[in-house]
Amino acid sequence: MSPYSGSQSNATAGAPSAPAGAPSAPASGTAPSNSGAHSLEPAGAPGKQEDAHYLVTGVPGNPCNRIEIHDFVKNEKFFSLYVQALNMINQYSRDNVESFFQIGGIHGRPHEAWSGATASDNAGKYLGYCTHGSTLFPTWHRPYVMLLEQVLQKRAVEIANTYKVNTAAWKEAARTIRFPYWDWAIHATPPSEVISSNRVTITDMNGTKRQVDNPFYSFVFPPNEINDFEGNYRVWPTTLRRPMSTDAGAQSNVPELINVLNAAVEDVQENTYTMLTRVTSWEKFSNTQLDDNPVTSTSLEGIHNGTHYRVGATSVPGLSGHMGNNDVAAFDPIFFLHHANVDRMISLWSALHPGVWVAPGDSADGTATIAENTLIDTKTPLSPFWKTKTSFWTSAEVGNTQSLGYSYPEFDGLDLKNAVAVKAAIAAKVNMLYGASGTYGAIPQIPGAPQVPTPAPSTKCPAHGKWDWTARIRVKKFEVGCSFQIVLFLGTVPSDPKQWNLSPRVAGTYCILVNESVSNCANCASQSEFVEQGYIPLNRGISKLSGLSSLDPAGVVAYLTANLYWKAQKVDGTPADTPSLEVTVFCTPLSYPAGATAPVGGTPVGYPSCTSGRLQPAGR
């Protein structure tokens, strides 16, 4: 394998000096000045970077907040500037390092090097930059979002300078603008300005309201630049979400997308809350690798995979939208709204677990710039994101977002030098935003529902009075050949797979995101036998559907044994064959010690009898 261009940074390994994402004084690892990188250029003709590496610096000046997309679209100046800036870079030619096509292409297709960062081995085989399924998954995507953010902010400044009305206010908006995030654990869907409107209204340089193409809805590929894509991706001229047909005029199925996202939001919120409050190790937090960690919670990568799948899946056999395939996912503009929230989750989790940062792992077959069978850790280069002309960013250098030019609203007004105070403040905000009230205790009695006596407490699961029920999913990631999901039901399974996601008997889903061009990604190829692990929360489903008056194991085990069913479903909506799939039920006793800010999980107890001997049962 060819070594990466330049030398690795010598930053000290370990956790960031301040909570990741929390405002603090810039550390010595602050991004270097990129001389000229933020100079303004004529619209549509930015300089090419063919002879020098493009440095990812973040936005210069004082850090400002990224804000949630529902608030962002209400800010006339932010929204108007960003729509114009995104439309501008969408028009840049393929060979422009700042073009949306090149930036989106870092994640997969067209399988080319970005800004001179080695992308192939000595034989010329493209190896990719992918770090999915590894401990670097969260930190690799941080400079990725930073890159698009700095490009768009630079263009926003240029655009603001052309305004003839209220010029100072427009310039100030351009200075403080940062990339928005979509908080999918609170808002099931993004606003219409992202998910359903082909055209949007902006305020132009003359102060006039006018309609323009909406660059958040889809990306229009440059002519002839998708000829080497595969399948329908080489036919569709724009990105699609839940596409409805195979032809070039295919449309996104927006109503179906909205319904599917709405159906999943409660599980997303519960998974998010559990991940933030009960996962304490970086290994468990960061990725979907199989482990024996007793915390029954899905990782950040696992939760992230679900949004990819739901946006990119379809109900048309043989198809998948762009977000449902890692090889082309980053061309959909919603990808970056999604990953900005993934980045925010890193900041929230790090504040709740100060001092915990990237844990060492195995590189397996490596990537274009990471050697095979080597240790990956905080010093591993996060290629292709150049920090200097000779080195890439590393995980050790991206822990403090303040030094990277941005923060998040949850950290406003906090004394960031006081880790204890920050932890308490963020814990309160996480409880307010995502606290799964009512799902860990006794099931509330539903008016008109049969009143079932509470079973006697079980001796196997300590009677703390509250329990957390989950189903552990273990399955080989690449055995289906595309992205797929596991759907759990409590009761009758609909005979039509198109109804699975929306069935009232669905207890939850777990989604597996797959790069369909495995042969072009060294990291993916090394994971051919990779067993992915995640968890589906069951408390809500049991509460709604069982008729039980308690979550005590004595009653729940019998109920799940008789009523728990599951199906595997491909990204195109058809049933999937998953012989490696294991579904195991766990119950975690919860306690609420004095001073605790969230439920504390005890040792999970497995109940294999609930699923033993049943492989994808047909239902009833």
Side-chain angles (χ1 to χ4, degrees):
M1 175 184 294
S2 299
Y4 66 89
S5 301
S7 60
Q8 181 175 305
S9 168
N10 292 319
T12 302
S17 57
S24 65
S28 59
T30 298
S33 172
N34 186 9
S35 178
H38 293 277
S39 61
L40 300 181
E41 300 165 331
K48 296 179 182 179
Q49 299 282 333
E50 295 170 342
D51 300 322
H53 299 313
Y54 187 93
L55 304 188
V56 178
T57 65
V59 177
N62 294 328
C64 299
N65 279 343
R66 293 175 177 172
I67 62 176
E68 213 278 330
I69 185 62
H70 287 80
D71 296 322
F72 188 90
V73 299
K74 296 174 185 176
N75 186 310
E76 173 194 22
K77 294 180 175 62
F78 281 178
F79 187 63
S80 296
L81 290 173
Y82 245 38
V83 165
Q84 293 174 87
L86 191 50
N87 273 330
M88 182 183 292
I89 69 168
N90 283 353
Q91 300 302 314
Y92 291 166
S93 64
R94 172 186 182 136
D95 61 357
N96 193 309
V97 74
E98 290 186 336
S99 69
F100 189 81
F101 182 81
Q102 270 215 29
I103 293 172
I106 289 171
H107 209 256
R109 294 280 172 179
H111 299 161
E112 296 175 354
W114 183 80
S115 190
T118 302
S120 59
D121 60 16
N122 291 325
K125 179 179 175 57
Y126 176 81
L127 298 176
Y129 305 115
C130 170
T131 60
H132 298 84
S134 87
T135 60
L136 299 182
F137 164 77
T139 51
W140 184 88
H141 286 84
R142 176 160 274 183
Y144 195 14
V145 178
M146 280 170 54
L147 166 61
L148 182 61
E149 182 173 63
Q150 79 179 51
V151 168
L152 289 177
Q153 191 271 345
K154 179 169 65 171
R155 294 302 157 205
V157 169
E158 175 184 325
I159 293 165
N161 284 339
T162 69
Y163 272 68
K164 301 174 182 178
V165 179
N166 203 9
T167 305
W170 284 96
K171 288 183 177 180
E172 176 63 10
R175 183 189 70 79
T176 58
I177 199 169
R178 298 296 185 271
F179 202 88
Y181 62 88
W182 165 32
D183 187 356
W184 22 251
I186 292 294
H187 301 284
T189 65
S192 61
E193 290 87 348
V194 171
I195 200 170
S196 59
S197 301
N198 284 305
R199 304 269 291 174
V200 289
T201 301
I202 66 163
T203 302
D204 68 15
M205 69 178 70
N206 298 310
T208 303
K209 303 286 187 183
R210 64 185 178 90
Q211 288 259 309
V212 298
D213 290 337
N214 181 10
F216 284 105
Y217 179 73
S218 65
F219 171 61
V220 180
F221 289 98
N224 303 317
E225 297 301 347
I226 57 175
N227 292 339
D228 63 344
F229 285 18
E230 296 178 341
N232 289 100
Y233 301 123
R234 65 183 300 169
V235 176
W236 294 324
T238 70
T239 54
L240 294 172
R241 301 161 187 167
R242 304 190 79 89
M244 295 189 288
S245 69
T246 61
D247 59 78
Q251 299 292 314
S252 295
N253 192 335
V254 176
E256 181 178 87
L257 173 58
I258 291 173
N259 287 338
V260 169
L261 291 174
N262 280 327
V265 68
E266 287 187 338
D267 281 342
V268 174
Q269 184 175 120
E270 190 162 349
N271 269 322
T272 299
Y273 182 70
T274 306
M275 173 198 70
L276 289 172
T277 59
R278 302 229 311 265
V279 176
T280 59
S281 72
W282 182 268
E283 296 93 329
K284 180 66 176 174
F285 165 74
S286 63
N287 70 93
T288 58
Q289 288 188 40
L290 176 70
D291 63 37
D292 295 320
N293 191 308
V295 179
T296 52
S297 171
T298 292
S299 66
L300 176 62
E301 184 181 16
I303 296 172
H304 141 278
N305 288 352
T307 296
H308 269 277
Y309 182 93
R310 285 183 282 272
V311 174
T314 182
S315 55
V316 181
L319 299 185
S320 68
H322 291 77
M323 277 284 282
N325 181 351
N326 254 337
D327 206 32
V328 292
F331 291 119
D332 187 333
I334 207 171
F335 173 96
F336 290 96
L337 296 172
H338 170 40
H339 273 276
N341 196 49
V342 170
D343 186 87
R344 173 172 161 267
M345 291 297 162
I346 304 171
S347 294
L348 296 177
W349 185 86
S350 295
L352 294 174
H353 304 90
V356 183
W357 198 234
V358 176
D362 184 5
S363 71
D365 278 4
T367 69
T369 58
I370 300 174
E372 60 185 328
N373 298 318
T374 58
L375 186 72
I376 53 175
D377 57 20
T378 57
K379 294 183 179 180
T380 302
L382 302 176
S383 59
F385 309 114
W386 297 98
K387 181 183 179 184
T388 73
K389 293 181 179 179
T390 59
S391 65
F392 300 111
W393 285 95
T394 68
S395 299
E397 298 164 325
V398 298
N400 177 8
T401 67
Q402 282 284 293
S403 68
L404 307 176
Y406 69 93
S407 186
Y408 294 101
E410 288 80 9
F411 295 94
D412 287 351
L414 301 184
D415 176 5
L416 300 166
K417 296 180 181 179
N418 186 338
V420 174
V422 169
K423 178 178 179 179
I426 296 302
K429 293 178 181 181
V430 165
N431 278 327
M432 179 182 68
L433 289 169
Y434 310 120
S437 177
T439 64
Y440 292 124
I443 300 174
Q445 296 296 337
I446 302 172
Q451 301 300 298
V452 181
T454 302
S458 166
T459 57
K460 186 174 184 180
C461 200
H464 290 302
K466 295 181 183 291
W467 298 270
D468 180 24
W469 289 91
T470 54
R472 186 185 68 193
I473 305 300
R474 287 181 172 177
V475 65
K476 288 185 177 180
K477 179 176 180 177
F478 290 99
E479 74 178 354
V480 174
C482 62
S483 298
F484 62 102
Q485 68 173 348
I486 308 303
V487 189
L488 297 191
F489 301 86
L490 292 175
T492 304
V493 179
S495 58
D496 182 0
K498 293 181 180 180
Q499 302 302 316
W500 288 352
N501 276 305
L502 304 178
S503 168
R505 310 302 299 189
V506 168
T509 61
Y510 182 76
C511 305
I512 294 89
L513 181 64
V514 173
N515 183 343
E516 294 180 20
S517 298
V518 175
S519 62
N520 289 298
C521 171
N523 184 43
C524 301
S526 72
Q527 298 180 16
S528 59
E529 296 299 311
F530 182 97
V531 176
E532 181 161 329
Q533 175 172 285
Y535 294 86
I536 297 175
L538 297 176
N539 280 26
R540 289 183 187 272
I542 297 170
S543 299
K544 292 177 180 179
L545 301 171
S546 70
L548 296 173
S549 59
S550 169
L551 290 173
D552 187 281
V556 173
V557 170
Y559 172 75
L560 292 178
T561 301
N563 293 279
L564 181 61
Y565 294 88
W566 58 94
K567 288 288 188 178
Q569 186 175 36
K570 295 180 183 178
V571 70
D572 67 357
T574 60
D577 183 22
T578 53
S580 70
L581 176 62
E582 296 179 5
V583 180
T584 308
V585 170
F586 283 85
C587 174
T588 303
L590 302 177
S591 61
Y592 297 79
T597 58
V600 176
T603 301
V605 177
Y607 289 91
S609 61
C610 291
T611 56
S612 178
R614 296 191 293 152
L615 296 177
Q616 294 184 216
R620 298 182 296 181

